[in-house]
Amino acid sequence: MSQVVSYELHGNIGVISVNNPPVNALAQVVREGILNAVKQAQGDASEAIVLRCEGRTFIAGADITEFGKPPMAPALPDVLTEIENSSKPVIAAIHGTALGGGFEVSLACHYRCAVASAKVGLPEVNLGLLPGAGGTQRVPRVAGVKAALDMITSGRPIAAGKAKDMGLIDEVVAGDDLQAAAIAYANELVKAGAPLKRIRDITIDPASIEPGFFETARKNLAKRARGQIAPDRIVSCIEAAVKLPMDEGLQRERELFSELVKSPESAAMRHIFFAERQAAKIKDLPKDTPLRAINKVAIIGGGTMGGGIAMCFANVDIPVVMVEINDEALERGLGIVRKNYSITVKKGKMSEAQMESRLELISGTTDYADIADVDLVIEAVFENLDLKKEIFTKLDATCKQGAILATNTSYQDVDAIANATSRPQDVLGLHFFSPANVMKLLEVVRGAKTADDVLATSMAIGKKIGKICALSRVCYGFIGNRMLTGYGREAQMLLLDGCTPTQVDSTLEGFGMAMGPLAMGDLAGLDVGYKARQARTDLPDDPKLFRMGTVLVEMDRLGQKTGAGYYKYDPETRARLADPEVEALIKEEAAKLGIEQREISEEEILQRCFYPLINEGALILEEGIAQRPSDIDVVYVYGYAFPAAKGGPMFYADQIGLKNVYDKICEFRDRYGEDYWQPAPLLKELAEKGSSFAEWAAEQG
Ligand code: 3H9
């Protein structure tokens, strides 16, 4: 028997223990170990078998690193068959998170018990997969077709209590000794002569499913698929659970799982899974870097951003003090927070009581003396360097020694801000994305003098508030916004060259972007980009550059907030509508500039918008602004809604082939000029070597 799985008798109960840190993933040795233990238990004195795990969690799924490699026996379904066919009841004892293949193992058991804090779920969809070990066949048999569809297509884990209500767990056990509780439960079952409950024996009456249910589900999922095929295949599996006998349903599930595991979408999403975890690791920081305690936080500025950031901390029970310049601004800031929480309550995602307890954690002041004792300050006032420096000088004079002083600036010089204090080692950028309480990305910006423990603490607190963190060095716009300049520039240039706003946005949305760049400009407010551009001195003096954005702002078409920008917006539904007036205006502007408009292919739209991202990404890597190409992918997937199914811009570039990207950029350089298209030296080097960003990253270590 393998070392990671042990088996021993506790009286009349056989106990199988899995010990494969960190998350007890179902590596080959684990599968083999469980299989052998179940076999061994058939011939001994045990009357029931408990399957449990050591460490922080029950099995959290298949071992994702094994996907794409040659399969190794025993296959997980064979292990599950052995469990299900056991002549003695097998009871799963769940703590932590029973996810994916881990939850499927438990569903093949005859009974499931769990501690109240446990969660169960089938998150395979987040990896571009479907549950491939019976999850799509067993969950609908127990919890019903609709609940199964919600659970498997959302990938959201479910708390033990709710899982019990849904029939997915038989018993929620009290106390903190799960092994003892599970053995006691097993003994109860033995005493009661409880039957070998096999989920496969349940049948679903096809007549209980309303006609058209699966077609509607498919259509609804397709609307938000963004390049993902897994949700559609999940519907097919659940349909099979209704229409086919268990073994045929399992066979169908197996076929579709095999299709998905080989798909480029799943490869991209698995890349993002590991990239996300890697991004939180700072290469030159020792693992044992001590952390500073963060028990109280202050936010300077109660605008939309400040309010959203305050909510992030209150949501994890950390008290927050909001600082504003006067009572009126403070009232407004606290009002924004209350309004945001009320929306969540209205949606039924939070109770009134929960909202009140979170609001109690957020206090306000207009006096810096009141934040002398906080452990972390995040400044979130508007983008004015002098104002920010002034605030940091005040923070330096007021805050206790050891407090971390962070700026949420999107593009100001973090080092200049740090140098306005006598403690630049305590200063860094914490760049949240709007709406801060929703968006997952946090860019952690390392100043020239930022101390190691400040960085390590920021990564840890970022994780605690549910963010995905990526490290950036200081430069204009850091990783994300710096790369965005070329993307936005080309979206506007394409208009002058002959595209309509709808053509540009729909092409990028068809690729999987949550929203095209022009519609995004309308949402953010076209004046935001306009003002930011005016403050820049590094942009070429060219009337074509950002022409349409400028013209629209000067006409007071600022986007959604004025009801019109690149599009017009239905005042009631806020639906975006093509505006013939803008389309005519674009033609006029192109004529004024002497540009001959032409038909532009979708391929060119994608290349012209995405290749600047890739090229700037290469520069960012060369300059050491980002640690790794995969960190850039994380920034784009979680901060800019780049489709996870394409893996982020750098992964996408590797799939296209860097030589192809490089050649096209050279072609654009020859056609549109060197001001805009200048291949990054790193891109050139890798293209000429026939290498990839992934290979380059591996060489860098
Ligand atoms: C599946 O099960 C398919 C089946 O249906 C069918 C099969 C036939 N494999 O996230 P953390 C690593 S698909 C390999 O930081 P946390 C992770 O990379 C799978 N490695 O911890 C990290 O490594 P490192 C369905 C894995 O406490 C370390 O463990 N299951 C796996 O914040 C710690 O991870 C899932 O999708 C894995 N399955 O969160 C669950 N999982 O330290 C995926 C983790 O070197 N896992 N690692 O960076 C999770 O959601 C979270 O890891 C979990 C813990 C919630 C469990």
Side-chain angles (χ1 to χ4, degrees):
M1 185 172 304
S2 66
Q3 291 170 339
V4 291
V5 180
S6 60
Y7 174 72
E8 59 184 26
L9 271 173
H10 288 246
N12 59 335
I13 307 296
V15 176
I16 303 173
S17 297
V18 178
N19 185 13
N20 184 30
V23 298
N24 289 312
L26 285 160
Q28 189 274 339
V29 278
V30 176
R31 299 195 299 273
E32 185 176 63
I34 296 175
L35 184 80
N36 290 340
V38 175
K39 279 186 181 160
Q40 184 183 339
Q42 304 307 305
D44 69 12
S46 62
E47 291 181 87
I49 306 159
V50 165
L51 173 58
R52 61 173 288 273
C53 291
E54 297 284 345
R56 66 199 215 214
T57 181
F58 190 78
I59 303 163
D63 184 341
I64 303 166
T65 60
E66 282 185 3
F67 293 144
K69 296 184 185 155
M72 283 179 292
L76 187 58
D78 296 338
V79 181
L80 268 54
T81 304
E82 194 71 32
I83 294 174
E84 199 169 48
N85 289 342
S86 163
S87 58
K88 305 167 182 184
V90 185
I91 298 114
I94 300 173
H95 74 292
T97 42
L99 299 177
F103 184 44
E104 290 175 299
V105 166
S106 79
L107 290 170
C109 296
H110 305 100
Y111 295 90
R112 286 157 293 286
C113 65
V115 291
S117 60
K119 287 184 178 167
V120 299
L122 294 168
E124 285 87 343
V125 71
N126 300 324
L127 299 167
L129 297 172
L130 53 81
T136 65
Q137 305 304 297
R138 290 191 176 90
V139 173
R141 280 177 162 77
V142 181
V145 166
K146 191 171 175 312
L149 194 74
D150 284 348
M151 182 177 184
I152 306 175
T153 57
S154 75
R156 263 192 307 274
I158 293 172
K162 186 164 177 219
K164 179 162 189 280
D165 295 343
M166 293 167 74
L168 294 168
I169 281 180
D170 300 287
E171 190 78 5
V172 177
V173 300
D176 44 19
D177 187 347
L178 176 58
Q179 175 167 316
I183 290 174
Y185 178 53
N187 268 312
E188 270 174 39
L189 292 170
V190 170
K191 234 187 256 159
L196 291 171
K197 257 194 347 182
R198 301 192 317 168
I199 293 175
R200 66 156 53 235
D201 298 335
I202 303 170
T203 48
I204 304 170
D205 176 7
S208 65
I209 312 301
E210 57 197 75
F213 175 83
F214 291 110
E215 287 71 23
T216 310
R218 268 205 182 86
K219 266 192 215 141
N220 290 341
L221 289 164
K223 276 188 212 149
R224 46 192 166 95
R226 300 184 54 212
Q228 296 181 33
I229 53 172
D232 174 83
R233 304 304 188 269
I234 290 169
V235 177
S236 299
C237 286
I238 297 182
E239 202 170 2
V242 176
K243 295 185 176 158
L244 302 175
M246 181 75 175
D247 285 328
E248 285 175 40
L250 286 175
Q251 179 60 30
R252 183 90 186 106
E253 181 193 76
R254 209 62 221 142
E255 284 159 15
L256 294 176
F257 179 83
S258 303
E259 176 201 341
L260 291 180
V261 91
K262 287 185 221 124
S263 69
E265 291 82 14
S266 177
M269 292 173 88
R270 279 163 8 223
H271 160 75
I272 286 296
F273 176 85
F274 290 112
E276 181 185 319
R277 281 150 183 88
Q278 181 96 322
K281 295 176 186 137
I282 302 178
K283 278 187 181 175
D284 58 334
L285 234 61
K287 261 201 176 146
D288 54 355
T289 305
L291 300 183
R292 299 188 189 180
I294 305 291
N295 296 318
K296 192 173 177 188
V297 174
I299 311 289
I300 315 292
T304 313
M305 204 46 158
I309 300 172
M311 291 168 76
C312 294
F313 288 93
N315 290 348
V316 295
D317 288 329
I318 298 180
V320 188
V321 189
M322 187 184 272
V323 185
E324 258 299 355
I325 41 169
N326 56 42
D327 289 339
E328 203 190 337
L330 193 57
E331 282 294 295
R332 208 171 35 236
L334 295 171
I336 293 175
V337 174
R338 177 171 280 279
K339 194 172 142 220
N340 284 347
Y341 275 130
S342 314
I343 295 171
T344 315
V345 171
K346 263 196 206 124
K347 285 186 187 156
K349 291 185 180 164
M350 184 186 277
S351 68
E352 281 287 331
Q354 275 171 323
M355 168 171 95
E356 290 308 328
S357 71
R358 291 194 190 168
L359 284 170
E360 266 171 33
L361 287 166
I362 306 178
S363 58
T365 183
T366 54
D367 185 355
Y368 275 60
D370 292 339
I371 60 163
D373 64 336
V374 302
D375 305 301
L376 167 67
V377 184
I378 301 175
E379 165 275 310
V381 304
F382 57 89
E383 294 289 0
N384 176 313
L385 185 60
D386 289 335
L387 175 63
K388 287 181 191 276
K389 285 201 230 169
E390 200 182 296
I391 289 171
F392 274 75
T393 308
K394 253 199 230 173
L395 292 174
D396 190 21
T398 328
C399 294
K400 69 178 183 191
Q401 285 305 312
I404 297 178
L405 309 179
T407 171
N408 175 52
T409 182
S410 301
Y411 50 83
Q412 303 291 349
D413 182 348
V414 172
D415 290 326
I417 296 171
N419 290 334
T421 72
S422 64
R423 36 174 142 166
Q425 73 281 0
D426 293 337
V427 178
L428 85 168
L430 289 180
H431 182 210
F432 289 78
F433 287 70
S434 189
N437 52 316
V438 177
M439 293 294 285
K440 294 290 272 178
L441 180 68
L442 178 64
E443 266 181 326
V444 174
V445 185
R446 178 183 203 165
K449 297 179 188 153
T450 310
D452 285 0
D453 62 343
V454 169
L455 288 171
T457 306
S458 299
M459 285 291 179
I461 197 76
K463 181 165 184 184
K464 181 158 186 188
I465 62 173
K467 299 296 174 202
I468 290 161
C469 302
L471 186 74
S472 174
R473 291 267 188 189
V474 177
C475 67
Y476 182 88
F478 317 124
I479 298 173
N481 284 341
R482 170 170 163 180
M483 286 168 63
L484 210 55
T485 303
Y487 174 71
R489 178 197 76 214
E490 285 307 307
Q492 292 198 28
M493 289 284 192
L494 282 162
L495 300 179
L496 295 176
D497 286 341
C499 289
T500 63
T502 307
Q503 244 178 309
V504 174
D505 283 340
S506 312
T507 301
L508 293 164
E509 286 159 9
F511 174 86
M513 296 299 291
M515 198 184 253
L518 304 170
M520 185 54 103
D522 274 359
L523 178 67
L526 298 181
D527 51 327
V528 177
Y530 179 87
K531 280 189 204 133
R533 288 196 297 274
Q534 281 188 328
R536 287 181 73 167
T537 51
D538 59 327
L539 296 173
D541 183 17
D542 175 357
K544 292 199 297 297
L545 184 59
F546 296 111
R547 174 75 160 216
M548 290 317 302
T550 304
V551 168
L552 292 172
V553 169
E554 286 167 0
M555 291 170 68
D556 215 27
R557 292 183 68 121
L558 306 184
Q560 288 200 21
K561 60 185 165 191
T562 56
Y566 286 105
Y567 301 91
K568 53 187 179 186
Y569 293 87
D570 185 300
E572 306 249 303
T573 61
R574 293 169 102 192
R576 128 184 157 201
L577 307 165
D579 189 346
E581 211 181 296
V582 174
E583 288 169 18
L585 189 68
I586 294 169
K587 285 201 168 75
E588 259 172 53
E589 290 299 318
K592 274 192 222 162
L593 294 164
I595 298 171
E596 206 170 304
Q597 293 204 308
R598 62 187 166 91
E599 281 279 315
I600 295 179
S601 68
E602 289 198 348
E603 189 188 21
E604 181 174 340
I605 296 174
L606 294 177
Q607 290 167 337
R608 291 209 18 215
C609 290
F610 289 140
Y611 289 10
L613 283 183
I614 297 165
N615 199 46
E616 199 66 35
L619 286 173
I620 279 173
L621 290 171
E622 273 175 70
E623 293 169 23
I625 300 292
Q627 298 191 95
R628 335 171 164 88
S630 59
D631 287 13
I632 298 178
D633 290 334
V634 166
V635 166
Y636 262 77
V637 167
Y638 291 109
Y640 299 83
F642 193 96
K646 296 285 194 304
M650 309 315 271
F651 182 87
Y652 175 58
D654 279 352
Q655 306 312 300
I656 299 167
L658 296 191
K659 174 87 171 70
N660 294 328
V661 176
Y662 172 73
D663 287 347
K664 198 45 117 180
I665 290 179
C666 292
E667 191 187 312
F668 288 153
R669 176 194 57 202
D670 299 342
R671 200 184 318 161
Y672 301 112
E674 290 187 357
D675 273 350
Y676 304 125
W677 295 95
Q678 194 58 263
L682 178 64
L683 178 64
K684 180 171 191 277
E685 181 195 320
L686 298 178
E688 282 171 355
K689 275 204 294 199
S691 185
S692 64
F693 289 123
E695 280 171 18
W696 177 82
E699 277 165 26
Q700 304 289 305

